[in-house]
């Protein structure tokens, strides 16, 4: 179980096979602990599949070298721990990766593969991160003008992480608020008989003139044309 934003990258090279992890928690105070845990979790999962304890070729951590490295050497069962890496990672020997799984069952694998294909064909699309952000933003409007901290809490992340994730999507908090206002204004004009003054108050504009200027900026014409076009 993990955040949908988690990403594992598997790279095969001369030194073996490296599994690197990227997650959305870099700005969290607990990130150093999370980064230490990930290679250990991958080591335990790999050992469970192999049916024996595996010794990694090396482990990469984004933290600075500790004053007492013995704890990490014991945790990963190797003294080859490299620090200040871009992402936490663990490298396994090529022989360990290519070794057959001792409890492998070809018949069961075929059944599971068929089940996976059927399940994938019938699955509904999963909402992406930006879809979840928009849902949280729309939900926050019920409590008044949404704030960055408020929406970040709904998504279980820090405000800095939320801003960074929006930048990664080619957007920003300010742009998303502008789009939210536009969607709300468009809906109220098309689906209600509220006056422009009432809509301006509901959506958070200082006065009706500010709303009219925004509508001209968005559509190139005034609110009357939108209202006359009716519901979409």
């Amino acid at each position: 179980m993990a955040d949908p934003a988690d990403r594992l990258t598997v790279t095969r090279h001369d030194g073996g096979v490296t599994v690197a992890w990227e997650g959305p928690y870099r700005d969290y105070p607990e990130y150093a602990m999370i980064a230490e845990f990930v290679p250990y979790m991958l080591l335990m999962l790999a050992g469970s599949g192999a049916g024996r304890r595996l010794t990694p070729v090396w482990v990469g951590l984004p933290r600075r070298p500790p004053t007492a490295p013995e704890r990490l050497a014991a945790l990963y069962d190797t003294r080859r721990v490299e620090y200040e890496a871009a992402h936490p990672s663990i490298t396994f020997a090529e022989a360990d990766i290519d070794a057959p799984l001792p409890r492998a069952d070809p018949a069961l694998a075929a059944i599971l593969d068929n089940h996976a294909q059927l399940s994938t064909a019938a699955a509904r699309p999963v909402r992406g991160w930006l879809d979840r952000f928009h849902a949280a933003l729309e939900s926050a409007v019920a409590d008044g003008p949404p704030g960055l901290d408020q929406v970040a809490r709904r998504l279980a992340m820090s405000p800095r992480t939320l801003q960074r994730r929006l930048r990664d999507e080619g957007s920003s908090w300010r742009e998303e608020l502008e789009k939210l206002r536009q969607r709300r204004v468009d809906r109220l004009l098309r689906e209600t008989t509220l006056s422009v003054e009432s809509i301006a108050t509901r959506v958070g504009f200082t006065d009706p003139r500010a709303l009219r200027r925004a509508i001209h900026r968005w559509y190139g014409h005034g609110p009357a044309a939108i209202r006359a076009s009716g519901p979409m």
Side-chain angles (χ1 to χ4, degrees):
M1 295 183 292
D3 189 293
D6 288 350
R7 183 172 66 177
L8 289 176
T9 304
V10 181
T11 306
R12 186 181 286 266
H13 46 81
D14 291 341
V17 176
T18 297
V19 184
W21 174 81
E22 296 179 49
Y25 312 108
R26 184 173 289 274
D27 297 327
Y28 277 58
E30 300 85 0
Y31 179 69
M33 296 174 58
I34 297 172
E36 287 183 8
F37 172 70
V38 168
Y40 177 77
M41 178 187 69
L42 294 172
L43 178 60
M44 292 299 100
L45 289 172
S48 176
R52 57 188 172 87
R53 175 79 178 190
L54 297 180
T55 299
V57 176
W58 70 73
V59 171
L61 296 177
R63 60 166 294 172
R64 294 179 179 176
T67 54
E70 293 80 11
R71 178 181 65 85
L72 294 177
L75 180 67
Y76 305 126
D77 198 23
T78 181
R79 290 190 172 276
R80 294 195 61 185
V81 180
E82 300 182 359
Y83 301 98
E84 300 185 9
H87 306 287
S89 65
I90 185 168
T91 298
F92 297 98
E94 200 163 3
D96 288 332
I97 292 295
D98 294 336
L101 299 177
R103 294 188 294 273
D105 185 334
L108 178 59
I111 293 172
L112 293 176
D113 182 65
N114 182 62
H115 175 72
Q117 292 185 32
L118 292 175
S119 299
T120 302
R124 296 179 179 179
V126 177
R127 291 193 305 173
W129 177 85
L130 201 57
D131 295 320
R132 292 193 294 120
F133 165 76
H134 289 151
L137 189 61
E138 293 280 357
S139 178
V141 171
D143 300 327
L148 176 63
D149 292 355
Q150 176 190 12
V151 176
R153 283 196 301 272
R154 288 173 179 261
L155 294 169
M157 63 179 61
S158 70
R160 285 181 60 191
T161 298
L162 174 54
Q163 289 177 311
R164 178 171 57 79
R165 295 288 296 276
L166 288 173
R167 283 198 303 271
D168 293 343
E169 296 287 346
S171 185
S172 69
W173 174 251
R174 184 174 180 177
E175 289 177 22
E176 291 299 331
L177 283 184
E178 180 83 353
K179 292 175 184 177
L180 173 65
R181 276 184 164 185
Q182 183 177 354
R183 290 195 299 271
R184 296 187 69 205
V185 167
D186 189 276
R187 185 166 60 247
L188 290 172
L189 284 172
R190 295 177 186 277
E191 300 177 4
T192 75
T193 57
L194 290 172
S195 66
V196 174
E197 290 77 8
S198 297
I199 293 175
T201 301
R202 287 195 177 203
V203 181
F205 284 91
T206 54
D207 56 55
R209 288 179 300 177
L211 173 58
R212 291 180 187 276
R213 286 196 297 270
I215 292 174
H216 273 281
R217 186 174 68 253
W218 296 333
Y219 301 104
H221 50 69
I226 300 173
R227 176 154 276 169
S229 63
M232 294 185 67

